[in-house]
Amino acid sequence: MHQAFCEEKLGVCEDAKNHSLADLQVDTASGDVRVETVAGDVVARSASGDLSLGAVGGHVKASLASGDVHAAEIKGGADFKTASGDVKVKIAEGGIKAKSASGDVVLGNLREGDFDAKSLSGDVIIGIPQGRTLEVSLDAVSGKVHT
């Protein structure tokens, strides 16, 4: 397994491509980051660019000024902040906190943990498995909340 620290001004973070990583730390000024598998934690900051993650075994902390966050599966929880961009997670097994000034927050299936989403201008959508009990905090100033 690799550990990667990527700092990229433009383009895709090359160290993050085609590797199974133990942990990932990414700082970009402008550029997209795509990673299929991270066994541990992800820390990502970007001024402009998308973050696309496959399976993450640890915790995700991502802060993007302008860009979308997409994740297939997160097992260790996550903390997302975007000024202008969507947050979309298919499956989460830990608690999720998501704040977006202008963008949608979509969680397909929250298997474990709590969900705290705040969006000033965007929709908040959460999928909860049948029989699952949890505490959910949702807040949308301008937009809809769906469960």
Side-chain angles (χ1 to χ4, degrees):
M1 292 226 195
H2 293 72
Q3 284 190 296
F5 172 80
C6 300
E7 194 168 338
E8 187 68 24
K9 301 267 188 253
L10 295 168
V12 176
C13 183
E14 292 297 327
D15 272 352
K17 292 188 341 183
N18 303 318
H19 293 289
S20 177
L21 302 173
D23 292 298
L24 176 66
Q25 182 173 342
V26 179
D27 290 291
T28 68
S30 177
D32 296 343
V33 176
R34 292 181 294 278
V35 179
E36 287 301 316
T37 305
V38 180
D41 297 335
V42 174
V43 177
R45 291 183 304 203
S46 177
S48 176
D50 295 340
L51 174 64
S52 180
L53 302 169
V56 178
H59 187 267
V60 176
K61 182 175 182 178
S63 179
L64 286 77
S66 176
D68 297 333
V69 177
H70 298 272
E73 183 175 10
I74 299 173
K75 293 189 177 186
D79 184 358
F80 298 111
K81 294 179 184 173
T82 68
S84 175
D86 296 335
V87 175
K88 296 182 180 180
V89 178
K90 289 183 182 178
I91 299 170
E93 295 185 10
I96 301 288
K97 290 183 181 180
K99 294 180 183 178
S100 178
S102 176
D104 297 338
V105 177
V106 180
L107 178 54
N109 186 338
L110 181 61
R111 292 184 178 167
E112 295 177 16
D114 294 331
F115 182 61
D116 183 352
K118 294 181 171 112
S119 179
L120 294 177
S121 177
D123 295 338
V124 175
I125 302 169
I126 180 173
I128 303 169
Q130 186 174 355
R132 169 93 161 81
T133 59
L134 73 151
E135 181 179 321
V136 179
S137 173
L138 304 171
D139 185 15
V141 174
S142 173
K144 302 171 195 163
V145 175
H146 304 274
T147 60

